[in-house]
Amino acid sequence: MNSPKEAAAPASNFLRHIVERDLKAGTYAARTFAGTPGDAAHHAGAPPDPARIRTRFPPEPNGYLHIGHAKSITLNFGLAQEYGGICHLRFDDTNPEKEEQEYVDAIIDAVRWLGFDWHAPEPALAGEPGDPARPQEATTSHLYFASDYFDFMYRAAEALVDAGLAYVDEQSADEIRARRGDFATPGQDSPFRDRTPAENLARLRQMKAGELTDGAAVLRARLDMTSPNINLRDPVIYRIKRATHHNTGDRWCIYPMYAYAHPIEDALENITHSICTLEFEDQRPWYDWLLDKLCELGLLAQPRPHQYEFARLNVTYVITSKRKLKALVDERIVAGWDDPRMPTIAGLRRRGYTPEALRLMCERAGTSKAGGWTEYASLDAALRDDLDPKAPRAMAVLDPVELRLTNWAALFGSEAHREACHAPVHPQKPELGERRFSLGPRLWIERDDFAEVPAKGFFRLFPGNRVRLKYGYVIECSGCEKDAAGQVTAVLASVVPDTKSGTPGADAIKVKGTITWVGADDCAPAEVRLYDRLFSEAQPDAGGKDFKASLNPGSLRIVTGYVEAVLANAAAEQRFQIERHGYFVTERHDHAPGKPVLNRIAPLRETWTPK
Ligand code: ATP
Ligand code: MG
C-alpha cells in the first residue's frame, strides 16, 4: 500500500493510456469544429478542432449530484485538463417528466464548486499567449442541453427509416416485452417489422404530429431480434409522450430514448472519448452501430466518438441511488438535499469538505474496470491531508465545565487582571501570524479533562496534579465543587507563578499534560453540530437490504460549546482545525459573525468503530 503522499501523484490508468494512444496515432487530428453543435452540416468548411480531445460530463437533471458523480466529473474534466482538451457539461434532458430547472442550477453549482469550468478559449481568436492583441476574455461556453439537438435527432430518425433501418412498431408495450425474449431465448420479429420505408415514414410523421395517442406506437431501430445482446434486439428509439419539457415546452410529443440520444449528443459535440460506467458496456455495440450508420448516411462525420467504461465509485457507509437519497429527503430523515450528512455534493460542501479533498479522494480511488469499494475513511484522510497544511488553528471547548484559578488576585493584584496570550495561526506557518486572547481567573475547559479520581495513565487535571493551559500557565489542581446530584460544577486550581508559555521560566516545571481552554469573558457560545456517518453499516443497501434499518442514531449531535474569538467572528464557510477536536467549518447557511454555528467535518484521527 502506498503512503497517502505517494498515492497523491496521479497514477496512470487505462483511460490515460487510451487517450495517449489516440493522441499518438492522431486518431482525432482531422476533426473540424465550428463551435455550436446541433447540426452536423456546420462541420463543412469549419476550422480544425482546437481541442486535442473532448470529453463530457452528462448528468440527467433529475436529482442532485453525489459523490459518485464527483468521480465522473474529476475523471472527465481531469482528462481534458491533462491532455489539452475540453470537457463539456451536457444536460442529458431527454426525459421530460423527471427533469427540473432546480436540478440544472444545482448541478451547475456543484461542478463549479468542484473547481471545473466548461469555458474554453475561443479558438479563432486565441492567438499566441502573451500577444497583447490576444483578446483575454474570449471564451466559448461548452454547456449544452441534449434537448437542443431534438431537431437533428428527429432528422436522423427519418433518415434511418428511409434507409430501412428503423420502423414504427404498433405492438403494445407488453407485446414488445414478450417478443424481446431473454438471455436464454431469442426474440421474435414484430409483425410491423417489414413495413416499407414509405409506410414507416408516414406513420412516424403522424407520431410527431400528435395524431397517435401516448404509447400507441414506438419507433424502433431494425437490427436483429435474435442477437445474444438484448440491447441489439430492435431497441426503441422514440416514444410518444405528451409532457411539457423544461427546455422545449410543448413543442414535441415524441421524445428520443436515452440510448439513442446519447451517442448522437456525443457525436454532434465532437466528443472523442465518451466515458461512462460499466453498466453501459453492453450498450457499446449499439452505440457503435448507430453512429456508424449515421456516418454512412452522411449525417455525421468520422472520426466519431468511442465509448469507454469504468467501474463506478462505491463508498462505504454511503448510498448513491437517487431514488433512495430522495426518500431520505422526502421522509425528512435528513433536513434536505444539502443536509451535511448527505453524500450529495451540496451536502458534502455544507458539511465542510473541500473541493480539493473530494478531488484527491477520487484520484486516489483510481479508475479501473475492476470496481470494489472505497473506504469512507479515505474521504476524511483526504480532507486532513488537504486541511492540515492550511487550516488556521483555534481553540474551543465542546463539553464545558468551569475552571477557577483561586490564587489569581493574590498573584496578579486583582481579579480584573488579564494576562495576554498568543498562539500561532498555524504552527508550521509563522507567516500567517498570531491569534491573541486573554487569560483570567475564570475559564472553560473540557469536562473530561478533570477526574476526581484519575484512572491509570490519566495525566490531566486531578487533585494535586499539574498541567499546562496551552499557550498559558502551568496550573495545579486543588479539587472541585459539585452540585447536590454530585455533578462537578467547577474545577479549582492555582497558577504556578513564572511558568507562562514563551517566557524564560516556562520550562522550569515539567508537566505530562496540556489542556485546551477558552477564557470565560473572552469567548462566545456556539452551536456545534457534531456530524458522523449517516449509516452504521458499511453497505447499507447491499443485496436489497432496507437501508433505513441501519441509520446511525448518532449521526448528528448538537452541543453548545465556547469558542475562541477567531471562530466566533469568522465569515461563513471558513474551515479551522480546532485543537484536539478535529476539522470544523463555520456553517454555510446558519453561521453569522458573532452568532457562531459550526459543523464538525471530521475528527483529527480516524476513530470510527463499526457498530
Ligand atoms: P440515473 O439512474 O438517474 O441515470 P445516474 O447516477 O446514472 O442515475 P446521471 O445523471 O445519469 O445519474 O449520471 C451522470 C454521469 O455520472 C453518468 O455518466 C454516470 O455514469 C456517472 N456516475 C453516476 N454515478 C456514478 C458513480 N457512482 N461513479 C462514477 N460515475 C458515476
Ligand atoms: Mg444515468
Side-chain angles (χ1 to χ4, degrees):
M1 184 66 199
N2 289 340
S3 78
K5 302 285 177 220
E6 284 170 59
S12 204
N13 62 49
F14 78 102
L15 291 172
R16 288 189 172 115
H17 291 152
I18 288 167
V19 170
E20 284 163 18
R21 175 204 68 192
D22 286 341
L23 286 173
K24 191 150 170 255
T27 312
Y28 291 101
R31 290 171 312 141
T32 58
F33 195 70
T36 311
D39 189 337
H42 76 282
H43 285 279
D49 191 334
R52 302 216 306 153
I53 61 165
R54 282 183 195 266
T55 54
R56 83 285 174 270
F57 172 63
E60 184 180 355
N62 65 350
Y64 281 72
L65 297 184
H66 56 61
I67 194 164
H69 295 116
K71 173 71 207 174
S72 180
I73 294 168
T74 54
L75 181 60
N76 281 294
F77 280 92
L79 281 172
Q81 271 175 3
E82 258 174 75
Y83 292 101
I86 294 173
C87 181
H88 296 188
L89 174 59
R90 180 208 308 145
F91 288 99
D92 221 325
D93 56 350
T94 50
N95 186 355
E97 292 158 299
K98 291 191 182 160
E99 293 154 3
E100 287 177 29
Q101 189 60 38
E102 176 195 351
Y103 297 133
V104 171
D105 297 339
I107 289 169
I108 288 179
D109 229 39
V111 176
R112 275 218 186 99
W113 177 78
L114 269 175
F116 297 106
D117 193 358
W118 46 90
H119 292 82
E122 186 72 64
L125 302 174
E128 284 301 309
D131 178 348
R134 178 185 158 115
Q136 291 302 313
E137 305 83 332
T139 59
T140 305
S141 165
H142 295 285
L143 171 75
Y144 302 110
F145 288 86
S147 53
D148 289 340
Y149 315 139
F150 281 172
D151 284 321
F152 180 88
M153 288 172 189
Y154 178 75
R155 231 171 338 116
E158 285 206 352
L160 289 171
V161 167
D162 240 2
L165 296 170
Y167 62 98
V168 173
D169 194 345
E170 294 177 49
Q171 298 180 95
S172 70
D174 285 343
E175 285 167 331
I176 290 180
R177 204 171 306 117
R179 284 215 165 86
R180 187 173 288 134
D182 54 30
F183 287 108
T185 332
Q188 294 163 30
D189 287 358
S190 159
F192 297 91
R193 199 172 193 262
D194 292 321
R195 279 174 156 174
T196 63
E199 278 175 286
N200 281 313
L201 198 56
R203 213 63 185 136
L204 175 60
R205 287 179 178 166
Q206 286 177 328
M207 281 170 65
K208 177 173 179 262
E211 291 167 27
L212 276 69
T213 56
D214 286 15
V218 292
L219 183 69
R220 297 177 75 175
R222 199 169 187 281
L223 278 88
D224 177 5
M225 287 304 292
T226 63
S227 170
N229 183 340
I230 294 176
N231 296 293
L232 298 183
R233 294 184 188 170
D234 292 6
V236 173
I237 60 179
Y238 263 94
R239 62 193 174 127
I240 307 171
K241 184 91 238 168
R242 284 168 180 79
T244 304
H245 187 279
H246 81 109
N247 194 14
T248 56
D250 293 322
R251 215 158 73 76
W252 295 88
C253 65
I254 57 171
Y255 289 96
M257 301 301 285
Y258 172 85
Y260 171 74
H262 196 84
I264 295 178
E265 295 155 23
D266 283 347
L268 289 177
E269 291 179 17
N270 246 18
I271 300 303
T272 55
H273 301 83
S274 175
I275 298 164
C276 61
T277 40
L278 274 174
E279 65 270 24
F280 293 100
E281 195 166 22
D282 291 345
Q283 291 274 8
R284 185 166 10 108
W286 157 252
Y287 185 103
D288 293 341
W289 182 94
L290 177 63
L291 293 187
D292 284 337
K293 291 296 177 220
L294 294 178
C295 286
E296 284 165 23
L297 292 170
L299 282 152
L300 295 173
Q302 296 281 7
R304 62 164 176 85
H306 282 265
Q307 174 182 306
Y308 304 94
E309 311 87 18
F310 72 102
R312 60 196 301 114
L313 176 74
N314 294 308
V315 182
T316 56
Y317 299 96
V318 157
I319 57 172
T320 50
S321 147
K322 283 180 192 168
R323 183 177 57 78
K324 292 173 190 168
L325 293 174
K326 191 164 185 306
L328 292 174
V329 174
D330 290 346
E331 295 171 35
R332 296 176 191 274
I333 293 168
V334 295
W337 284 103
D338 70 344
D339 184 298
R341 292 164 296 181
M342 289 284 271
T344 52
I345 295 179
L348 293 162
R349 171 179 180 178
R350 192 162 174 199
R351 170 78 160 262
Y353 288 104
T354 58
E356 291 85 351
L358 270 162
R359 296 200 303 257
L360 185 57
M361 188 214 73
C362 289
E363 177 64 35
R364 287 175 178 172
T367 304
S368 75
K369 283 192 167 277
W373 287 78
T374 293
E375 290 297 331
Y376 187 87
S378 72
L379 177 58
D380 284 350
L383 180 88
R384 293 182 195 108
D385 288 344
D386 177 37
L387 285 188
D388 182 49
K390 66 185 189 200
R393 281 17 180 196
M395 288 200 290
V397 174
L398 302 186
D399 182 15
V401 68
E402 186 186 345
L403 170 68
R404 276 213 305 279
L405 300 175
T406 50
N407 63 341
W408 192 266
L411 197 62
F412 297 112
S414 139
E415 283 291 305
H417 174 80
R418 292 293 175 269
E419 280 286 298
C421 298
H422 58 88
V425 169
H426 191 289
Q428 278 87 49
K429 300 213 162 138
E431 68 275 17
L432 295 181
E434 293 195 322
R435 31 192 247 264
R436 303 190 168 272
F437 37 85
S438 68
L439 178 62
R442 283 183 59 241
L443 42 156
W444 298 107
I445 60 168
E446 294 295 340
R447 184 166 285 281
D448 68 3
D449 278 344
F450 171 76
E452 218 178 347
V453 182
K456 193 163 180 291
F458 184 84
F459 296 123
R460 288 163 285 160
L461 287 169
F462 55 87
N465 194 41
R466 288 176 167 184
V467 300
R468 174 171 296 284
L469 292 174
K470 195 154 193 196
Y471 313 115
Y473 282 86
V474 173
I475 59 170
E476 180 171 323
C477 182
S478 55
C480 67
E481 287 173 359
K482 292 197 260 190
D483 64 14
Q487 164 102 325
V488 175
T489 53
V491 176
L492 307 176
S494 57
V495 177
V496 180
D498 302 325
T499 57
K500 192 173 175 188
S501 289
T503 66
D507 293 332
I509 291 177
K510 295 281 178 220
V511 291
K512 282 189 172 165
T514 298
I515 65 170
T516 45
W517 55 278
V518 291
D521 53 10
D522 187 31
C523 71
E527 178 176 324
V528 184
R529 301 174 181 171
L530 301 171
Y531 287 106
D532 203 343
R533 300 175 188 193
L534 185 54
F535 295 99
S536 44
E537 270 185 44
Q539 297 179 16
D541 57 353
K545 259 189 315 206
D546 174 15
F547 60 100
K548 282 178 253 170
S550 61
L551 283 164
N552 171 13
S555 63
L556 170 59
R557 199 158 60 80
I558 300 179
V559 299
T560 301
Y562 291 106
V563 302
E564 199 184 309
V566 284
L567 286 171
N569 299 329
E573 264 199 310
Q574 302 300 304
R575 297 171 184 87
F576 292 87
Q577 186 197 96
I578 297 185
E579 301 195 30
R580 297 169 75 206
H581 284 296
Y583 293 97
F584 289 71
V585 67
T586 47
E587 160 64 36
R588 184 177 177 199
H589 300 306
D590 300 337
H591 171 92
K595 214 184 150 295
V597 179
L598 299 169
N599 293 341
R600 179 173 66 195
I601 319 169
L604 285 180
R605 274 170 296 279
E606 187 51 41
T607 52
W608 175 263
T609 43
K611 307 276 178 301

